[in-house]
Amino acid sequence: MRGRNDIFLWRLQACRHVSVGSCSPPDSAKDGSFSSESNLPSPVEQEQAKAKPLPDLNAKILYEDWDDVPPSSALEEISEEAAVQIIAEPLLPLQSSTLRDYVDHSETLAKLVHLGVDLSQVEKRQKAGQLLLTLDFEKDIKKILLFLKDVGVEDNQLGTFLTKNPYILAEDLEALETRVAYLKSKKFGKAEIAQMVSRAPYLLLFSVERLDNRLGFFKNELGFSVKKTKDLVIRLPRLLTGKLEPVKENLQVCQIELGFQRNEIQEIVFKTPKILTASSNKLKQTFDYLHNIMGIPHHMLTRFPQVFNSRLLRIKERHMFLTFLGRAQYDPAQPSYISLDQLVSLPDEVFCTEIAKASIQDFEKFLKTL
């Protein structure tokens, strides 16, 4: 059996000495001088074939004969010139505390950055970073961007909007459309909805039921008409998204501790909605100074409640300067009357020249004595 295998390998070797693709017999057989029997090696040749090691018919010879280049080995040495030309792709971090490390690997993050999204702010929000890494821009995000543009969010506002509320990218589109439809059913105009959504980015995360409950709360708690309730939340839409506890607390403070009547509270809130979300301590301190130190009565504070939005230090400095000059007169029935609007809203230079009848230098010198 071994002899027959040797004969087969010998014939294969003979064929491989000719050109690639040809397995013709040797030239001596082409003229027909050999019979079919004479093509076999003689016994002596067979013994020589046994003694002579055969060529190694491995993959290397086959590659050389077929003019193919064998694949390079991972252990193959390369020159320094070739090594410096190799560009290695940065590895995706297995874990990171910042989204910046993923921007080069994520088309979604790269496009969000191009839109103006501040990833350093997004990653501070609970689970927002993980959310963005799971979203596909074309499949998940593009439709939300088109929706926001249709609602009225300007192109140059999209980055800021998504920085504040990246969670909207995971919301169901149909649910978002339903919430907008609800606002339209309550007679909010397109421009008003656009303003509300832009100023309160979390607004559309709230269900129709919750939005309806919030509108009902302010209407009933304040005794407002439907129109006044709409005007209130258009000017301060975060009333629909923020917590109600500070609102309830400030309403109680105004009524019980500050002594305003219900109709006065209605007027104050309608003119200055921010009073509902202000710090209750600041509210009480400002009222105490205005009412007990400056002698401003409740009805005057009701006429100009914007004074509660001013810094208490600004009120104190200007009042003391007017008192020093003998011009602190807040009674409209008296000459040289100074309104609360004039007291707090004018720039320093205008306040000094037109209200205090003094120079800005005099005011600055007085402040240094405090």
Side-chain angles (χ1 to χ4, degrees):
M1 193 61 138
R2 177 177 177 83
R4 295 185 64 183
N5 289 339
D6 292 343
I7 293 172
F8 169 76
L9 293 174
W10 178 84
R11 295 192 65 182
L12 180 61
Q13 181 183 7
C15 289
R16 296 187 65 81
H17 283 299
V18 298
S19 62
V20 175
S22 172
C23 196
S24 303
D27 291 340
S28 57
K30 289 183 181 180
D31 58 4
S33 57
F34 287 99
S35 63
S36 59
E37 290 81 2
S38 64
N39 286 336
L40 297 176
S42 65
V44 175
E45 291 172 332
Q46 291 183 29
E47 291 299 323
Q48 291 176 346
K50 291 180 181 179
K52 184 178 180 180
L54 292 173
D56 184 13
L57 299 177
N58 55 21
K60 182 177 180 180
I61 295 177
L62 294 177
Y63 277 125
E64 291 175 353
D65 287 344
W66 294 342
D67 294 329
D68 283 340
V69 178
S72 58
S73 169
L75 302 178
E76 181 181 352
E77 294 185 4
I78 60 174
S79 64
E80 293 184 3
E81 292 78 6
V84 298
Q85 295 179 4
I86 296 176
I87 301 177
E89 292 293 332
L91 295 176
L92 182 66
L94 297 177
Q95 187 175 3
S96 176
S97 60
T98 174
L99 288 172
R100 184 175 55 226
D101 294 338
Y102 296 92
V103 173
D104 292 337
H105 307 277
S106 171
E107 179 185 7
T108 295
L109 293 183
K111 288 185 175 181
L112 289 175
V113 170
H114 183 70
L115 279 174
V117 177
D118 187 345
L119 297 182
S120 66
Q121 295 299 316
V122 171
E123 62 195 19
K124 294 177 182 179
R125 305 185 185 278
Q126 187 176 15
K127 297 184 179 180
Q130 296 93 316
L131 171 65
L132 294 188
L133 291 174
T134 64
L135 297 177
D136 179 85
F137 189 87
E138 294 296 327
K139 179 182 176 183
D140 304 314
I141 296 179
K142 190 173 182 179
K143 60 184 179 182
I144 303 298
L145 295 178
L146 294 175
F147 164 78
L148 291 174
K149 291 181 65 175
D150 185 62
V151 168
V153 180
E154 299 291 338
D155 289 351
N156 59 2
Q157 295 178 331
L158 286 173
T160 302
F161 182 95
L162 295 177
T163 298
K164 294 178 179 178
N165 179 19
Y167 306 107
I168 197 171
L169 296 175
E171 284 290 299
D172 179 69
L173 181 59
E174 186 176 349
L176 294 173
E177 292 171 341
T178 300
R179 293 160 196 169
V180 173
Y182 166 78
L183 294 175
K184 291 180 179 178
S185 73
K186 294 299 179 180
K187 308 304 179 184
F188 289 95
K190 182 175 178 61
E192 293 168 341
I193 294 174
Q195 177 182 329
M196 292 168 66
V197 171
S198 297
R199 295 178 63 183
Y202 282 92
L203 179 64
L204 294 180
L205 293 187
F206 289 81
S207 67
V208 168
E209 292 76 15
R210 186 166 181 179
L211 290 174
D212 192 63
N213 288 338
R214 284 299 178 91
L215 288 172
F217 169 82
F218 289 107
K219 180 179 180 298
N220 298 328
E221 194 73 17
L222 297 170
F224 281 174
S225 65
V226 172
K227 184 180 184 305
K228 275 196 168 184
T229 303
K230 282 177 51 184
D231 290 342
L232 178 73
V233 298
I234 288 172
R235 286 184 291 141
L236 193 63
R238 71 168 182 265
L239 288 174
L240 296 176
T241 61
K243 295 180 179 179
L244 289 180
E245 286 74 13
V247 173
K248 294 177 180 179
E249 180 182 0
N250 283 355
L251 288 175
Q252 290 181 344
V253 166
C254 287
Q255 183 175 1
I256 298 174
E257 299 188 43
L258 307 188
F260 287 101
Q261 300 299 312
R262 180 172 173 81
N263 64 316
E264 290 176 329
I265 295 174
Q266 290 175 333
E267 187 173 348
I268 289 172
V269 169
F270 188 72
K271 289 181 177 178
T272 315
K274 286 184 179 179
I275 203 169
L276 291 174
T277 57
S279 164
S280 60
N281 287 331
K282 177 181 180 296
L283 192 60
K284 289 184 282 189
Q285 291 171 2
T286 303
F287 173 83
D288 179 67
Y289 193 84
L290 290 168
H291 184 67
N292 298 322
I293 304 299
M294 295 174 58
I296 310 297
H298 283 82
H299 72 275
M300 292 292 293
L301 294 173
T302 302
R303 287 178 56 186
F304 190 76
Q306 293 87 342
V307 70
F308 288 104
N309 290 336
S310 301
R311 291 184 298 110
L312 181 56
L313 179 61
R314 184 187 187 96
I315 297 173
K316 287 182 176 181
E317 289 175 344
R318 293 190 175 189
H319 169 68
M320 286 188 288
F321 185 54
L322 291 174
T323 301
F324 173 74
L325 298 174
R327 303 186 63 84
Q329 181 54 259
Y330 308 112
D331 185 352
Q334 300 297 323
S336 302
Y337 159 69
I338 296 173
S339 70
L340 294 178
D341 184 15
Q342 293 172 322
L343 177 69
V344 299
S345 63
L346 297 175
D348 283 344
E349 289 187 3
V350 178
F351 166 76
C352 290
T353 56
E354 296 187 9
I355 307 302
K357 308 300 181 181
S359 67
I360 184 68
Q361 291 78 15
D362 292 335
F363 183 48
E364 291 173 348
K365 289 179 182 178
F366 172 78
L367 293 180
K368 292 179 181 179
T369 65
L370 299 180

